[in-house]
Amino acid sequence: MSTLSLSPERTRTLGIGAAGLVGTVALWWLVAATVLARFQVPTPGEVLSTFADRGFDYYRTVFSITLEESLYGYLVGVALALTVAVLVLLVPFIEPIVMQLAVITYCLPIVVLAPILITVHEIPEKGGLSATAIDLAAVSVFFTTVVGAVLGFRAADQATLDVVEVYGGSRLQQLLRVRVVAALPALFTTLQIAAPAAFLGALLGEYFDRHLEIGVGPSLILSQNNRETALAWSLGIGCALVSGLAYALLGLLGRVVAPWSRGAAS
């Protein structure tokens, strides 16, 4: 069976999901046109009309900035987290310190951290990236990636590790020959979770960094100030679609690289 083929159970799940999506949109349309009409909640038709009026170029421009920031932050955060996870395995006594550091980054309030980062960094150039957004994207993925990577590396079969040790293998050889392969399913699950988190971190960084002129964050602020609720909803839906697509693509990549994690044939 191909790694990418859909099982009957998966097909049924996708069908239920599609039906749920259609039902949600229908319910949204009904409630927005009746009960919530006085609260300026747009209907799906009004949101689609806003998409059409603004045009693809508008959304491509604002989302490209935020996506680039989230990508840089994602790569930096994941790289640091994986490096730290490897150090924990090679030098076990530093684990309490590393885990405390990871927990601190997770518990830091964004509303406190963002202003500090904004004052540290230079003002973004017009059309440029926000360093604050990149930093917050990196911070947003660090904790979950460290924890997921450490747990994944420790999922290796102890008997296999013992064989490597008996033949004179070091901790590093155990890591490269056994632990990395055993950790792939957990690592890809962690990377899946980190992708939407990175996008959200970048979005929050843009929202706080009022010096930035182009991006999803500044566009949300403008739509809020101008009371353009349909535009705000269109941007929000766009964020959900981008985050969901990143999550799905990493999941697909994980199924290709580590098919045994889903019970598929190698």
Side-chain angles (χ1 to χ4, degrees):
M1 182 181 292
S2 172
T3 301
L4 303 180
S5 63
L6 295 178
S7 65
E9 181 181 356
R10 183 63 174 170
T11 303
R12 183 168 56 254
T13 301
L14 291 175
I16 294 173
L21 178 61
V22 172
T24 299
V25 172
L27 180 62
W28 167 21
W29 204 314
L30 176 64
V31 173
T34 55
V35 181
L36 299 179
R38 64 190 182 92
F39 295 105
Q40 297 184 329
V41 175
T43 64
E46 292 172 337
V47 173
L48 289 175
S49 177
T50 300
F51 271 118
D53 292 342
R54 292 282 176 168
F56 176 76
D57 287 342
Y58 169 79
Y59 291 95
R60 178 177 58 81
T61 300
V62 298
F63 273 92
S64 63
I65 297 294
T66 309
L67 279 171
E68 193 171 352
E69 292 164 344
S70 59
L71 176 61
Y72 287 150
Y74 179 84
L75 293 177
V76 171
V78 167
L80 289 174
L82 292 180
T83 301
V84 166
V86 170
L87 287 175
V88 166
L89 291 177
L90 298 179
V91 191
F93 70 84
I94 69 171
E95 180 178 356
I97 300 174
V98 168
M99 287 305 176
Q100 287 178 7
L101 175 62
V103 170
I104 289 173
T105 63
Y106 182 73
C107 296
L108 278 174
I110 297 296
V111 294
V112 174
L113 184 58
I116 297 174
L117 294 174
I118 291 171
T119 57
V120 169
H121 294 301
E122 298 290 336
I123 295 176
E125 299 179 359
K126 184 175 182 179
L129 306 180
S130 168
T132 300
I134 295 173
D135 289 347
L136 290 182
V139 170
S140 298
V141 306
F142 184 76
F143 174 76
T144 54
T145 307
V146 167
V147 173
V150 170
L151 292 177
F153 288 143
R154 286 180 173 167
D157 180 62
Q158 186 59 47
T160 307
L161 294 173
D162 291 340
V163 170
V164 175
E165 184 177 2
V166 166
Y167 279 93
S170 63
R171 288 182 182 272
L172 180 59
Q173 289 176 320
Q174 287 180 329
L175 174 68
L176 297 177
R177 296 176 183 274
V178 180
R179 292 190 186 274
V180 170
V181 176
L184 283 177
L187 283 177
F188 275 102
T189 299
T190 299
L191 296 178
Q192 272 188 282
I193 297 171
F199 187 81
L200 176 60
L203 181 59
L204 290 173
E206 290 184 345
Y207 197 83
F208 282 104
D209 191 354
R210 298 303 176 97
H211 300 108
L212 191 68
E213 298 184 15
I214 301 176
V216 178
S219 297
L220 282 171
I221 293 171
L222 287 175
S223 66
Q224 172 186 313
N225 293 339
N226 296 332
R227 307 291 291 177
E228 296 180 272
T229 54
L231 176 58
W233 277 67
S234 70
L235 291 169
I237 292 172
C239 291
L241 291 175
V242 167
S243 297
L245 180 61
Y247 182 89
L249 288 176
L250 284 169
L252 183 62
L253 180 61
R255 292 183 65 185
V256 172
V257 175
W260 62 87
S261 65
R262 299 297 181 91
S266 304

